Amino acid sequence: MRNYTFRKLTQQDFKARVGRVDTGFSRRGAVTTSFSSPARPLVSLILGFGWAYLVIAVSRNRGHIEHSLLQGSLPTEYHDLVLFMLAGLLAMSAVMLGLHLFRFLMARRTSAGKRNSGGLLAGALAAGALVYTPPSVFDAGLGLIDENSRALFTAASSTTKIDFAAISLAASNSMN
């Protein structure tokens, strides 16, 4: 029978063994790596507005898109493919909007993901509000401006040769 010598390991023995097993840990210690994205709520708001406005415009103007495809030089067999891709855009956008809503509701209060998703959802909400606002609200708002602002619009329209009175600021006018 063999005779084994047992001794209690010291802290130096433990450090030497860790150095043999994991040299990176023995040199640097425990390093926490973070891959979270930084919080950019303003950028997310702008992207959410643009994304939602594009999706709403595509979904409300199918007839205009089909008419444009018929007038273009794209062969007829590809028209269905273009419309299928646009339908895929709408479906993916709905899924991604749902995922951002889930992320916003389930994220911790101070996380960057919550602020980014919140900005994106706020931008999408603003785009929906802009598109579905009746034109009479915009006309009433323009009626509230004072004489100096009207003079500014008149001077700008005479300088640029653009009739600002003919411009409709309501997105819902062009999408009906």
Side-chain angles (χ1 to χ4, degrees), residues 3 12 18 29 39 54-55 75 80 89 96 104 112 131 141 148 150 154 165 167 175:
N3 223 355
Q12 286 77 21
V18 168
L54 173 77
V55 167
D80 288 336
L89 167 80
M96 291 305 294
F104 178 74
V131 168
N148 293 332
R150 284 192 193 127
T154 306
I167 295 175
M175 294 186 184

Side-chain angles (χ1 to χ4, degrees), residues 45-129:
L45 182 110
I46 294 168
L47 287 175
F49 181 85
W51 170 40
Y53 194 83
L54 173 77
V55 167
I56 292 170
V58 166
S59 67
R60 294 186 69 184
N61 288 328
R62 180 184 172 144
H64 182 70
I65 293 170
E66 288 175 349
H67 181 67
S68 177
L69 285 173
L70 290 174
Q71 288 181 347
S73 62
L74 188 67
T76 311
E77 62 264 11
Y78 296 122
H79 291 187
D80 288 336
L81 184 62
V82 169
L83 292 175
F84 291 151
M85 284 187 213
L86 290 175
L89 167 80
L90 296 176
M92 286 187 286
S93 295
V95 168
M96 291 305 294
L97 195 61
L99 287 174
H100 279 287
L101 180 64
F102 181 76
R103 182 180 178 195
F104 178 74
L105 293 175
M106 296 300 163
R108 290 181 306 209
R109 168 170 255 149
T110 59
S111 71
K114 183 170 187 115
R115 287 180 284 187
N116 288 340
S117 289
L120 194 97
L121 291 171
L125 187 66

Side-chain angles (χ1 to χ4, degrees), residues 112-154:
K114 183 170 187 115
R115 287 180 284 187
N116 288 340
S117 289
L120 194 97
L121 291 171
L125 187 66
L130 178 69
V131 168
Y132 290 110
T133 300
S136 61
V137 173
F138 286 103
D139 293 337
L142 289 175
L144 293 175
I145 61 176
D146 61 349
E147 291 299 321
N148 293 332
S149 299
R150 284 192 193 127
L152 178 70
F153 278 127
T154 306

